[in-house]
Amino acid sequence: MAEEIKAAENAAGNFIENFIREDIAEGGAYEGKKVHTRFPPEPNGYLHIGHAKAICIDFGMAEKFNGICNLRMDDTNPTKEDVEYIDAIKEDIKWLGFNWDNRFYFASDYFEQMYEFAVELIKKGLAYVCELTPEEMRANRGDLTTPAVSPYRDRPVEESLELFERMKNGEFDEGKMTLRAKIDLASGNFNMRDPVIYRINKIAHHRTGNEWCIYPMYDFAHPIEDAVEGITHSLCTLEFEAHRPLYDWVIANITVPAKPRQIEFARLGINHTVMSKRKLRQLVEDGYVSGWDDPRMPTLCGLRRRGYTPASIRNFCEKIGVSKTNSVVEYSFLEHCLRDDLNNNAKRVMCVLNPIKLVITNYPAEKTETFEVENNPNKPEDGNRTITFSREVFIESEDFLEEKVKGYNRFYPGNEVRLKSAYVVKCTGCKKDENGNVTEVYAEYDPATRGGDTPDGRKVRGTVHWVDANNYLHAEVRLYDNLFTDPEPDTGDKNFIDYINPDSLKILTNCKIEKSVEGAVMPMNYQFMRLGYFCIDKDSTPQALIFNRSVSLKDGFKKK
Ligand code: ATP
Ligand code: MG
């Protein structure tokens, strides 16, 4: 595996990588094998940014070692699955840029083999049918100084074999019997105190229908799924660390074709949001958001609709790294990673969110000029676009004040301001309605400043964006803020619903945008100059443009 080692050496080290490298160097069970990982989502919801971390680690680690990664639906639990989610999961992983080729599996495909492995354990005297109810089992689990108890532990192998078969045939009610691994009732690790490995569950499964009424527990099923697929490294989150001895026990005691190694890493949490599928589902089902792909959701489809790019998310996952301690990453760091990408790649355009008309009184009424401006100063190869200019343009209403305020360099009577890429104009006043609201602003332009430069070198402090009022498109713009006001809405005994931010969505319906965006379709990211990064929303139509603000321009992330 010398080539694989070389491939990995180039990459920055992390502990998972080091473990894998050690395994390769040692040979043994890994001799002659490609690094083989898997991503095992439970198809009971849409993927979120936490899953993206796991995906980047599972697929990324395989990539680094020139190995392969399987996609496996972890559908051993019949109660929660939904076929709807499977396609969405595939779409999200592809979108991130990862590939499982034809290695797409369902854990439920192994039900028959799992059953056979359970029988093998019984025959070896390593599993028994227990008749304690869930309540009795809980009452008999013991504590640190007292071992657990099961009166059925020493029942003869033949009896367990017969009862297990009858369990499978549906002869017993739910909760009446379980199959337990016979390990150690006194273990300091409660997962090893004769854990249940099969339970009766009379629920139809989305793939196997009513074929089964007994289902394997995760801790028994997962190592088997891994081994059957020939996985070498089973990467999972930290909560499975205490389950690893059981994982290894299962592999050691049944006749499987491979010996996968489980390695755990920290779960990703991000502040001002929640990350469990159950909670995300609640937000959707109770109507707090418009759907799984609401742009405020931490789901991958939500982030995609918000304007996040695959590169920004992969970069984020790369930068947060892989560690052994759970931590909460700031949302602003995710935004920072998006800004980084869009700053280099998004096309610049001008859009006015809260328009007021600026009339350039000394500019000819019938005249229109065009300006060639760069699409992206950071990417000259993206070329130019044409914008038009005429006597009336829209500016942001907040870019005009009737009276000068200290530090304010934009429009107020007497002040010179640069209309970005066009002309320097001098504000001469405004018009107000009967309520005293400003309805129009007036200015005079200096024809010698075409392009925005002052040939005499005089200083013009303010530069504002604008849109030609004689040549523009109308747009709706949706501004988003944190979905939760509390940075950690689901810690302790908090009910996260209590912390939903009532101002997390603000809709502006009277925005004016330059014509160059005509015909744009998803996915399309823009920088609206001076305002932030925006993208076309999926609800947008050529007749009614809708943009989402992905992230503002100002970087709220401070390096610690
Ligand atoms: P949730 O609590 O969100 O439902 P889960 O762990 O039940 O999460 P799965 O579908 O079982 O969701 O997860 C698939 C894989 O993604 C698992 O290997 C899991 O460890 C990993 N994963 C899930 N959430 C995170 C997270 N926040 N950070 C890192 N990895 C995660
Ligand atoms: Mg899970």
Side-chain angles (χ1 to χ4, degrees), residues 446-482:
D446 175 356
T449 59
R450 190 184 145 88
D453 295 325
T454 49
D456 58 358
R458 71 183 190 272
K459 249 206 156 69
V460 177
R461 288 185 186 278
T463 299
V464 303
H465 61 281
W466 53 274
V467 171
D468 184 354
N470 290 305
N471 187 33
Y472 67 93
L473 295 173
H474 192 85
E476 173 179 318
V477 173
R478 299 173 181 173
L479 305 178
Y480 301 98
D481 199 349
N482 291 329

Side-chain angles (χ1 to χ4, degrees), residues 34-65:
K34 259 184 187 298
V35 168
H36 198 163
T37 58
R38 87 289 170 262
F39 174 64
E42 197 178 338
N44 61 349
Y46 285 69
L47 299 181
H48 51 58
I49 181 81
H51 291 114
K53 174 180 176 177
I55 291 166
C56 288
I57 292 174
D58 294 332
F59 283 91
M61 212 48 75
E63 251 172 34
K64 269 185 190 165
F65 286 92

Side-chain angles (χ1 to χ4, degrees), residues 106-355:
F106 288 91
S108 55
D109 287 345
Y110 313 131
F111 279 162
E112 188 64 46
Q113 287 173 79
M114 290 171 187
Y115 179 80
E116 293 304 328
F117 285 128
V119 168
E120 180 183 344
L121 285 179
I122 299 173
K123 284 182 177 162
K124 287 178 171 169
L126 293 174
Y128 59 95
V129 169
C130 178
E131 291 171 48
L132 294 179
T133 62
E135 298 74 39
E136 288 167 340
M137 212 178 286
R138 223 169 293 129
N140 283 290
R141 66 197 276 268
D143 55 35
L144 282 177
T145 50
T146 325
V149 179
S150 169
Y152 305 98
R153 193 169 206 254
D154 294 318
R155 92 182 331 153
V157 166
E158 293 310 319
E159 210 176 289
S160 280
L161 278 176
E162 189 207 320
L163 288 173
F164 188 49
E165 187 170 355
R166 290 174 61 197
M167 274 170 69
K168 177 184 133 179
N169 292 339
E171 291 184 32
F172 307 112
D173 290 341
E174 282 183 19
K176 282 274 181 283
M177 280 180 200
T178 58
L179 183 70
R180 296 177 71 174
K182 193 170 178 177
I183 307 178
D184 179 5
L185 287 176
S187 174
N189 181 345
F190 279 61
N191 296 311
M192 299 297 272
R193 289 192 172 187
D194 288 11
V196 172
I197 58 175
Y198 261 94
R199 68 200 188 290
I200 299 170
N201 210 338
K202 298 195 168 171
I203 296 179
H205 185 277
H206 78 113
R207 298 193 82 234
T208 57
N210 292 316
E211 195 183 332
W212 296 90
C213 63
I214 54 171
Y215 290 95
M217 301 299 285
Y218 182 91
D219 283 342
F220 178 66
H222 207 80
I224 293 176
E225 296 155 22
D226 286 343
V228 165
E229 290 177 14
I231 301 301
T232 57
H233 293 87
S234 181
L235 313 176
C236 64
T237 35
L238 226 46
E239 70 271 21
F240 294 106
E241 193 169 27
H243 298 246
R244 190 183 344 126
L246 179 51
Y247 183 100
D248 291 340
W249 184 92
V250 171
I251 295 297
N253 288 291
I254 55 178
T255 314
V256 282
K259 190 175 176 297
R261 172 179 182 184
Q262 177 179 303
I263 304 172
E264 310 86 16
F265 58 87
R267 265 184 117 74
L268 169 67
I270 297 188
N271 69 6
H272 290 288
T273 190
V274 294
M275 204 78 99
S276 102
K277 275 179 281 188
R278 184 182 58 76
K279 289 172 187 161
L280 295 174
R281 190 182 309 107
Q282 191 180 337
L283 290 172
V284 174
E285 285 174 0
D286 294 348
Y288 293 107
V289 295
S290 64
W292 284 95
D293 68 349
D294 186 297
R296 293 165 291 183
M297 292 280 271
T299 49
L300 292 179
C301 52
L303 291 167
R304 176 161 66 235
R305 186 170 170 192
R306 178 77 171 262
Y308 275 78
T309 58
S312 65
I313 291 178
R314 286 178 68 156
N315 198 17
F316 169 78
C317 292
E318 176 86 19
K319 283 185 175 156
I320 57 171
V322 184
S323 82
K324 270 274 185 193
T325 2
N326 284 327
S327 66
V328 176
V329 175
E330 283 181 49
Y331 197 92
S332 59
F333 185 63
L334 181 61
E335 294 188 318
H336 169 83
C337 293
L338 177 62
R339 215 178 267 117
D340 238 19
D341 182 21
L342 296 182
N343 182 34
N344 289 324
N345 296 308
K347 185 175 172 182
R348 272 61 172 167
V349 295
M350 292 199 280
C351 175
V352 175
L353 299 185
N354 296 296

